[in-house]
């Protein structure tokens, strides 16, 4: 059963995230696995800052889209027409493992009642801000609309969905920092001797 699960985990690398259709981009590096990895890093940092259980949040972040291996990812248009039985997927996918940990953690995340689950969701949303900022930086006008809205609804739209004040502060920083600023102080024209 564990071998099957590990092969199933590997398929996450092959599952494109479906916002490509509505964001009009074909970013081959953006898949469920790469998204889950950055969400886990964000979740670990956020959990430590909030005094939450870091290990639990990281595991929640790694598992938060794991059901999409079986149901696929759906964008904002797909969701209008598709119903997904997430509980059935979670029970079949994780409930038969020799340990109940993964099913328990995934269920806690889906319920969104604990501090850890809320931090995990904030991490998921913060990764979406990061991705949209990266796309905006590359000139994607649709990503800009997703980030700021249009018409009378212009503003930093994504921040309002974050549950923790510290997540909102990080969201503000993501809106103001340029995606390439992280390496500004590192570049050099000379090789190290």
């Amino acid at each position: 059963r564990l071998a099957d699960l590990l092969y199933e985990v590997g398929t996450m690398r092959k599952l494109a995230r479906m916002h490509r259709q509505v964001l009009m981009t074909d970013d081959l590096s953006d898949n469920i696995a790469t998204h889950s990895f950055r969400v886990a890093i964000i979740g670990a940092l956020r959990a430590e800052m909030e005094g939450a259980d870091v290990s639990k949040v990281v595991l929640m972040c790694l598992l938060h889209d794991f059901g999409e291996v079986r149901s696929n990812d759906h964008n904002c248009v797909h969701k209008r027409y598709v119903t997904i039985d997430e509980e059935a997927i979670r029970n079949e996918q994780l409930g038969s493992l020799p340990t109940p940990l993964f099913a328990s953690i995934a269920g806690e995340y889906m319920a969104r009642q604990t501090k850890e689950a809320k931090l995990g969701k904030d991490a998921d949303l913060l990764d979406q801000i990061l991705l949209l900022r990266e796309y905006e930086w590359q000139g994607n006008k649709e990503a800009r609309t997703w980030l700021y809205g249009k018409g009378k609804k212009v503003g930093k739209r994504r921040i309002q969905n974050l549950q923790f004040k510290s997540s909102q502060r990080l969201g503000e920083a993501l809106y103001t920092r340029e995606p390439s600023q992280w390496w500004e102080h590192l570049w050099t024209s000379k090789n190290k001797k």
Side-chain angles (χ1 to χ4, degrees):
R1 182 63 190 101
L2 289 177
D4 288 346
L5 178 78
L6 296 176
Y7 281 121
E8 187 171 357
V9 167
T11 67
M12 292 174 72
R13 294 178 290 199
K14 300 176 186 332
L15 289 173
R17 295 178 69 211
M18 290 299 119
H19 57 243
R20 290 177 183 187
Q21 178 186 16
V22 291
L23 278 172
M24 295 179 260
T25 188
D26 197 21
D27 177 3
L28 298 178
S29 71
D30 185 32
N31 57 55
I32 302 301
T34 59
H35 165 64
S36 296
F37 175 78
R38 186 157 66 175
V39 170
I41 296 296
I42 296 166
L45 295 168
R46 298 291 306 111
E48 186 174 14
M49 292 170 70
E50 291 291 336
D53 184 332
V54 174
S55 298
K56 184 183 274 192
V57 173
V58 168
L59 193 50
M60 283 180 182
C61 292
L62 290 171
L63 292 171
H64 85 282
D65 280 342
F66 192 58
E68 292 178 3
V69 168
R70 296 188 181 189
S71 67
N72 210 340
D73 188 21
H74 296 96
N75 65 37
C76 55
V77 174
H78 300 153
K79 289 179 182 180
R80 181 181 178 103
Y81 304 101
V82 176
T83 303
I84 300 168
D85 191 343
E86 293 180 2
E87 187 175 342
I89 292 171
R90 186 175 65 250
N91 289 338
E92 290 176 12
Q93 194 176 45
L94 304 174
S96 64
L97 294 175
T99 171
L101 177 64
F102 280 25
S104 173
I105 292 287
E108 182 179 335
Y109 175 77
M110 293 306 295
R112 302 276 201 293
Q113 298 298 310
T114 64
K115 182 179 192 177
E116 286 77 10
K118 292 173 184 177
L119 284 165
K121 185 58 182 173
D122 272 8
D124 183 30
L125 296 172
L126 287 164
D127 181 57
Q128 191 66 22
I129 293 171
L130 283 159
L131 183 74
L132 290 169
R133 283 284 290 140
E134 291 162 350
Y135 288 170
E136 176 196 28
W137 196 246
Q138 296 169 29
N140 185 315
K141 292 178 183 176
E142 192 66 28
R144 181 165 182 74
T145 299
W146 281 32
L147 280 165
Y148 300 100
K150 57 184 171 183
K152 293 182 180 184
K153 295 182 180 180
V154 173
K156 295 176 182 170
R157 294 177 21 154
R158 301 273 165 175
I159 292 173
Q160 67 195 8
N161 296 325
L162 299 167
Q163 296 185 47
F164 290 84
K165 293 287 183 202
S166 55
S167 295
Q168 293 170 2
R169 285 192 304 274
L170 178 55
E172 287 283 347
L174 298 177
Y175 269 86
T176 58
R177 295 290 291 173
E178 297 170 359
S180 59
Q181 277 184 290
W182 71 268
W183 58 266
E184 275 183 350
H185 66 284
L186 298 173
W187 81 273
T188 181
S189 60
K190 298 178 183 176
N191 291 341
K192 187 174 179 179
K193 292 184 182 187

